[in-house]
Amino acid sequence: MAQDIFADIEEVQELLRSHAEVSGDLASALGKARRQLPRRIYKQGMRLANALPMLEHPKLRQTQDEKSLQQAAREVRNHLKKIDTADRRKGRMLEILGSMAFAILVVFVLLVAVLRWRGFI
């Protein structure tokens, strides 16, 4: 049973690497992906990260509720599997292009306003 929770935690780490594009151990990866994850998913992931050292110790492992930890791992895993990296990249590119277009539009409007104010138009 304990090996299953370790496999679940390893799968969550792998999904964080592939879908959320963050690396490191579980706690640092969750810290890097904190802004991308909903609060509940982040808290469930931190429960897993905090329980991992205790799960590795033979006597402290008995104090952990593995069923709830597996449920937390399942919840985090399901959320990470739903993340579409291609859509996220496309969204970032559209956001950058939109901000550039807005900046160019503002500069053009200011240029026209200054030229009109100076009497050149």
Side-chain angles (χ1 to χ4, degrees):
M1 189 74 155
Q3 294 301 329
D4 294 335
I5 189 68
F6 287 122
D8 288 344
I9 291 173
E10 183 63 33
E11 186 177 359
V12 166
Q13 284 180 324
E14 184 61 37
L15 286 171
L16 279 169
R17 276 187 221 107
S18 63
H19 289 282
E21 300 173 353
V22 292
S23 61
D25 63 335
L26 186 59
S28 65
L30 284 167
K32 291 175 187 175
R34 184 175 189 170
R35 298 182 75 195
Q36 300 172 6
L37 298 174
R39 183 179 297 149
R40 178 167 170 77
I41 300 299
Y42 173 75
K43 285 184 179 181
Q44 295 289 352
M46 287 307 292
R47 274 188 59 214
L48 292 171
N50 293 335
L52 188 59
M54 289 191 214
L55 288 171
E56 292 171 349
H57 193 276
K59 289 198 176 190
L60 292 177
R61 180 184 303 154
Q62 297 172 358
T63 64
Q64 298 297 311
D65 183 18
E66 290 187 25
K67 197 171 212 176
S68 69
L69 289 175
Q70 285 180 339
Q71 183 178 359
R74 187 179 320 114
E75 188 174 345
V76 174
R77 187 174 54 237
N78 289 340
H79 177 77
L80 290 174
K81 284 183 179 179
K82 291 178 187 175
I83 294 175
D84 186 12
T85 55
D87 185 46
R88 186 173 279 184
R89 280 190 216 111
K90 186 170 61 171
R92 275 191 227 140
M93 285 301 295
L94 289 174
E95 186 176 318
I96 290 169
L97 289 174
S99 65
M100 288 172 54
F102 180 73
I104 290 170
L105 182 67
V106 167
V107 168
F108 181 72
V109 167
L110 287 174
L111 177 69
V112 169
V114 168
L115 289 176
R116 182 149 175 90
W117 177 52
R118 299 284 299 207
F120 293 120
I121 295 181

